[in-house]
Amino acid sequence: MPSAIVVGAGIFGASLAGHLARDGWEITLVDKHEPGHELGASGDASRLIRSAHGSDRWYARSARRARQLWRELEDETGTPIFEEVGLAWLARSADGWEADSEHALRDEGIPLERLEPDAGRELFPSFNPEGLEFILFEPEAGVLRARDALLAVVDRAVSEGAELVLADARANGGGVEIDGESRSADVVVWACGAWLAGLFPELVGIRVTRQDIFYFDAGPEWTTPPVPGWVEYDAAYYGLGDLSGRGMKIAPDSEGPPFDPDDADRAASAESEASARRFAAARFPGLDRAPLAWSRICPYALTVDTNFVIARHPERADHWILGGGSGHGFKHGPALAEYVAGVLEGEEPDPRFALGPRRPGGSLRTAGT
Ligand SMILES: Cc1cc2nc3c(=O)[nH]c(=O)nc-3n(C[C@H](O)[C@H](O)[C@H](O)COP(=O)(O)OP(=O)(O)OC[C@H]3O[C@@H](n4cnc5c(N)ncnc54)[C@H](O)[C@@H]3O)c2cc1C
């Protein structure tokens, strides 16, 4: 039976650990914090799931496959995970990212509707269509209950036989040092999110940024479901309605300042709150005076082209690096695990995921600016 140590029980590591355990691998899943903790990227309450990725087909297919796998996890575990409320792309330009997405998704046979800007008034309790060319609506997209989903993935991995170890792990020669004790396995996968940058500074071109998220007390008419997710790509804002009483989520997707993921200061910036308020008041005028319910921050682990990293360590053939979620990785978790399992079993990863220099400029997340 092949064995693997997977370091990092965020959605990338936990999904992979569960997939391999189910395939009969002997798995040790290590995290220095309890799964679902608030310092990482996967412990937040919600994440958008959408197939649109501009003209990119790899991620569109991956998201679509993941959608099916999330549903299967839901059926198997009885945990509510996916709210299929749809996702509205608020397109400012007639021939921009949304138009590219429309073209790609129609080719892929993924359901889509092209709506007039005014149709936003039916999707949201309060909506100002000014400045929009159209709305691209993905009816089978929506919102994942991210933290619940992560915990279900970890529980399932454990029930498939994975051993969960709460400890700090370090590379040590060909093996891994887990809380000072040497362990080895056929394969070691470092799926350490924003911490990869510090663990492998010479290898991994990941920048960690501090991202603010705001929740406004908007009133019951803003509850998700049925209020859909939304993205205004050219404004670099995204959000959803009030999921489970947390408040309406509005978040800037432009890159925040550099950040140390161990930093305990987790207060969102007042400047960023003011800017989120201006955006909300302009696009969703009913939120003009909505009080801030709460806010939080979360680290992005950004590659320069926003493609993930799936790569063998250049000096240790049995060590792999998995990460670079770049602000859009969560939804792909179970589909990415399938892909990476194939790679560990001998398939060549797509060169886009390699270590080494990349061409800056792509944006697969929800920010065009
Ligand atoms: C504000 C924000 C909004 C986002 N919105 C979306 C969205 O709408 N849709 C979407 O699909 N994605 C979204 N993302 C991206 C998504 O959340 C991430 O890509 C994904 O969660 C990354 O998962 P991960 O497993 O790589 O990292 P993490 O979840 O951060 O997990 C890494 C884990 O490794 C552990 N670890 C690190 N070092 C060690 C060590 N030495 N020893 C042991 N354990 C270690 C950490 O404790 C941590 O638990 C968003 C991210 C942020 C920050």
Side-chain angles (χ1 to χ4, degrees), residues 144-156:
L144 294 167
R145 295 180 177 272
R147 186 168 186 278
D148 296 349
L150 173 65
L151 296 180
V153 168
V154 172
D155 283 354
R156 191 172 64 171

Side-chain angles (χ1 to χ4, degrees), residues 7-13 30-33 37 40-43 47-49 167-170 190-195 199 211 213 238 298-300 322-323 325-332:
V7 183
I11 202 61
F12 281 13
V30 190
D31 204 296
K32 55 183 175 176
H33 299 290
H37 66 92
S42 306
R47 289 288 181 255
L48 296 177
I49 175 165
D168 197 358
R170 294 267 165 260
W190 297 91
C192 298
W195 289 267
L199 283 168
Q211 302 298 139
I213 306 173
Y238 67 92
C298 179
Y300 273 171
L322 171 63
S326 300
H328 69 104
F330 193 95
K331 69 183 81 53
H332 296 281

Side-chain angles (χ1 to χ4, degrees), residues 31 61 64 75 101-102 160 205 216 221 254-256 288 294 340 369:
D31 204 296
R61 288 177 196 148
R64 191 71 183 160
D75 290 347
S101 298
E102 182 180 14
E160 298 279 359
F216 292 96
E221 69 276 23
S254 38
E255 281 176 31
D288 193 18
W294 65 291
V340 175
T369 56

Side-chain angles (χ1 to χ4, degrees), residues 27-47:
I27 297 296
T28 308
L29 175 62
V30 190
D31 204 296
K32 55 183 175 176
H33 299 290
E34 279 284 344
H37 66 92
E38 296 220 322
L39 300 177
S42 306
D44 205 356
S46 59
R47 289 288 181 255

Side-chain angles (χ1 to χ4, degrees), residues 4 56-57 63 109 119 121 155 172 216 266 293 326 339:
D56 194 283
R57 312 287 169 106
R121 298 189 209 274
D155 283 354
N172 173 13
F216 292 96
R266 298 253 148 186
S326 300
Y339 182 82

